[in-house]
Amino acid sequence: MRTPPNERLTSDIADTPKARNASEPGRTCPERRCILTGETQPRASLLRLAVSPSGLVLPDAQEKAPGRGAWVCSERAAIEAAQGNGKLKAGLSRAFKTGDLEIPEELPQMVEDALTRVVLDRLGLEMRVGHLMLGTQRIAETARAGGVALLCHASDASEDGRKKLDQAWRVGRAMEGSGKRGLILTLDRDALSVALGRDNVVHLALADDAAAARVLKPLVRLMLYMGHDVPAEYRRAEA
């Protein structure tokens, strides 16, 4: 089922300005309750769903749809299981105070697509303002000079290529022996190349700490959703 092009998301409970501003720098990280587990977790660890006026449940990857929405655990496998056993619909019905909801069968894939789009859009924005570095040689030179804040590799990057850049990064950041490595993305070189309008994008890096933080937030959420292991240091950085 495709989302109607002009279908506007909404829900019955609006966020307060205080809750929305809580994610700004210097403020306490806001928490939300997962409708499936009942556990309270940092908002960055959950996914937001919203419902349209017609009752269609849709992902809100950018967390900008009107209303509070409903928050669920950030793993695709858990959402698929909850959808299969009816717990997802029951939880959403309680959250939105209505049983008249339409949950697309392809919702888990819709969430993945939405999260992926947010990541690619963010990378594109950082590239347009000059914060994103491409090209193995340029990244290696900058990394050795200590100028790389975040290093990432396409999912199909060669192990040898990853290791060389990881080593250059550790040297530049005085982290030799730490085993620290760049993030292996859920996206392959073709997806990155198309999204960024460049040929053969295998590795990418960000020199600016603020830009790295902006990329990490949606990137870690996507990786967690896909069931990828994300080192604790990256989870802390995006929270």
Side-chain angles (χ1 to χ4, degrees), residues 119-131:
V119 170
L120 293 176
D121 286 349
R122 172 47 59 187
L123 290 175
L125 285 171
E126 299 301 342
M127 186 174 73
R128 285 195 286 275
V129 297
H131 291 156

Side-chain angles (χ1 to χ4, degrees), residues 29-216:
C29 181
E31 295 184 333
R32 296 291 185 269
R33 186 172 63 85
C34 173
I35 63 169
L36 299 180
T37 65
E39 297 178 355
T40 298
Q41 301 179 36
R43 192 174 75 178
S45 301
L46 300 171
L47 298 170
R48 190 176 192 269
L49 301 176
V51 63
S52 73
S54 65
L56 182 64
V57 176
L58 298 168
D60 180 23
Q62 297 193 54
E63 304 173 10
K64 292 183 178 180
R68 194 175 89 181
W71 298 83
V72 297
C73 51
S74 59
E75 293 184 7
R76 176 168 180 160
I79 291 178
E80 289 176 334
Q83 188 173 18
N85 59 28
K87 289 185 178 180
L88 179 61
K89 185 171 184 178
L92 289 171
S93 295
R94 290 192 298 271
F96 293 116
K97 296 182 173 59
T98 177
D100 189 20
L101 297 173
E102 180 183 353
I103 303 177
E105 291 184 8
E106 63 271 28
L107 181 63
Q109 184 61 46
M110 292 169 67
V111 172
E112 179 182 335
D113 292 344
L115 293 175
T116 299
R117 175 48 51 196
V118 172
V119 170
L120 293 176
D121 286 349
R122 172 47 59 187
L123 290 175
L125 285 171
E126 299 301 342
M127 186 174 73
R128 285 195 286 275
V129 297
H131 291 156
L132 187 69
M133 280 183 283
L134 303 176
T136 302
Q137 184 173 349
R138 181 189 177 194
I139 293 174
E141 292 174 353
T142 306
R144 289 192 191 96
V148 168
L150 177 63
L151 175 65
C152 299
H153 311 291
S155 61
D156 56 347
S158 70
E159 183 177 1
D160 185 59
R162 295 198 309 267
K163 285 183 175 180
K164 288 180 179 178
L165 287 181
D166 290 345
Q167 176 63 19
W169 191 29
R170 289 193 293 269
V171 169
R173 305 287 281 193
M175 298 183 299
E176 291 181 86
S178 68
K180 187 177 178 67
R181 297 173 294 172
L183 282 174
I184 300 176
L185 306 178
T186 60
L187 307 162
D188 62 20
R189 68 184 70 197
D190 289 339
L192 292 171
S193 299
V194 170
L196 299 176
R198 297 290 189 271
D199 293 330
N200 200 33
V201 177
V202 183
H203 311 280
L204 56 89
L206 293 117
D208 183 79
D209 288 338
R214 289 192 294 268
V215 169
L216 270 176

